[in-house]
Amino acid sequence: MPEAGRPLDDVLARLGPAIAKSYNTAGPGYLAYIPGGGVYASALADFVATATNRYVGVTAAAPVLAQVEETAVGWLCALMGLPEGSRGILTSGGSLSNFSAIVTAREELLGEDFQDGVIYLSEETHHCVAKAARLAGFPRASLRTLPTDARFRLVPSALEEAVRDDRARGRRPFLVVANAGTTNTGAIDPLPEVLRIARAHSLWVHADAAYGGFFRLAPGGEGLLGGIEECDSITLDPHKGLFLPYGLGALLVRDGASLARAHRGTASYVQDVAEEGSLGFADLSPELSRDFRGLRLWLPLVLHGVAAFREQLAEKLSLARWAFEQLRDDGRFEVLDEPQLSIVAFRLRAPEADAERLGPELLRRVNARKRVFLSSTRIAGRYALRICVLSFRTHEDRVRDAVVALREEAAALLG
Ligand SMILES: Cc1ncc(COP(=O)(O)O)c(C=O)c1O
């Protein structure tokens, strides 16, 4: 660290090229992984929140600002159809939301001696769930990875069978993590069937809707994610489906008090602000000191109105649908599934060895054009490319660029 300070212009001059040497995740051509967007109003909110540096973890420390965050989280609970009594916390992202969900379910259903607990997930579940289970103290054998169907959705009969089997072996099934939009293909697990089985066996149902949840805002969205309103907890990522800058996840819990039972701590040095009967965010989450992150969620919604987000999400669904139709009708591509949300996964139609070799080359060539940026994955062990449309800056022109680039480069590669 320098002993003496320097003028801001000099420092910014160094920062500019550093920012330029990066993926432009806020650009319209970013169709890789799960795009965010970086809504400007959140940057403004962060500036106000960090410059005033108010503390919202304890309600008494900034009652109205804490209520702003509570209100914004309440909007998310209402959007997901959760009842009165539900509560939520804002986290840094989906990984930590899933972590707190596992800890909450563990505390509610297993108590302190939980090594025989079993968590059910599918082979398409995001890897942060396995990571979270490990961090929550579960041995690897606690995870039961279930097969998916031809559309990458968890197979309910496999869940039922696995639960019975584990019970018969004296283990304690307690949690099923259902996908409401997988990362690979946007698949939505059959929530009503999962809930029916879970209720019959007294399991907690957590929906990982980090990517898919906000599509409930689009017309017909409630039907897309039907059953999510019955889940015990839900992970949402406003830094995905609400296009906010990285660093904002949410965990919503049907029985809000369960968050406090899992996370609350006490100490004499906070006695001045301890309020009988009131639960602040520090009581509901793993964090104590943290930023006033509710403002980066509240401000864009108030400034733009939720209709703007509905419109954007509807456009993303139809753009993915359009890309799917273009690739499906082109004999050079094999599309893995009709989009359930805004992701299209596909591969070159070629003998397996060629597809494994040519797929990465196709990706390299398309990205080298610098109009769009796609990413790849492996699905059922085979190489696949993905288009994920989820930035408010992405419109038809860019998705068209992606399709044109794919067609031209595929033609060049396949001859
Ligand atoms: C379905 C799903 N769950 C969880 C996560 C992890 O979220 P985060 O990256 O915000 O920690 C992701 C990230 O892409 C995801 O797509």
Side-chain angles (χ1 to χ4, degrees), residues 80-329:
M80 290 296 120
L82 293 179
E84 231 10 63
S86 58
R87 282 195 79 170
I89 52 172
L90 297 179
T91 66
S92 58
S95 300
L96 282 196
S97 301
N98 284 336
F99 170 70
S100 266
I102 291 175
V103 170
T104 307
R106 187 196 75 193
E107 284 285 309
E108 289 298 292
L109 295 178
L110 299 180
E112 291 193 350
D113 184 11
F114 56 79
Q115 296 289 298
D116 55 354
V118 189
I119 301 170
Y120 301 86
L121 57 156
S122 93
E123 51 200 12
E124 288 296 321
T125 300
H126 195 275
H127 73 284
C128 72
V129 172
K131 198 161 134 181
R134 201 165 70 205
L135 293 173
F138 287 96
R140 282 180 175 78
S142 301
L143 292 178
R144 270 280 217 154
T145 306
L146 302 168
T148 53
D149 65 13
R151 301 197 66 196
F152 311 105
R153 299 169 303 196
L154 182 144
V155 176
S157 59
L159 171 65
E160 176 120 54
E161 214 173 286
V163 172
R164 287 186 194 287
D165 184 50
D166 286 325
R167 276 257 152 77
R169 289 161 191 253
R171 308 197 66 197
R172 284 196 292 163
F174 79 103
L175 167 66
V176 52
V177 179
N179 294 302
T182 61
T183 316
N184 269 342
T185 65
I188 301 164
D189 287 340
L191 295 173
E193 283 96 325
V194 168
L195 280 155
R196 186 187 52 73
I197 296 163
R199 294 296 172 244
H201 295 275
S202 306
L203 309 185
W204 181 287
V205 182
H206 174 66
D208 182 358
Y211 154 66
F214 285 105
F215 285 104
R216 213 171 135 100
L217 281 171
E222 290 187 14
L224 278 177
L225 302 174
I228 203 161
E229 64 283 354
E230 298 297 327
C231 290
D232 297 294
S233 55
I234 302 169
T235 283
L236 288 178
D237 258 351
H239 67 197
K240 295 185 170 71
L242 276 189
F243 323 118
L244 304 193
Y246 296 133
L248 200 70
L251 172 65
L252 312 177
V253 175
R254 180 174 210 83
D255 171 9
S258 64
L259 277 175
R261 289 193 287 270
H263 294 94
R264 196 173 195 188
T266 59
S268 52
Y269 41 75
V270 289
Q271 65 188 6
D272 302 342
V273 287
E275 287 168 292
E276 211 43 53
S278 141
L279 295 170
F281 291 115
D283 297 313
L284 305 178
S285 83
E287 294 175 284
L288 183 60
S289 301
R290 64 159 174 94
D291 54 332
F292 171 25
R293 55 181 73 121
L295 199 61
R296 61 179 6 225
L297 172 62
W298 182 87
L299 187 64
L301 289 168
V302 170
L303 209 55
H304 303 304
V306 74
F309 292 88
R310 290 187 199 285
E311 201 179 294
Q312 283 291 331
L313 287 158
E315 185 196 16
K316 304 316 155 220
L317 291 174
S318 65
L319 288 174
R321 177 94 215 159
W322 182 83
F324 158 72
E325 286 165 0
Q326 300 304 306
L327 297 177
R328 178 199 59 192
D329 296 344

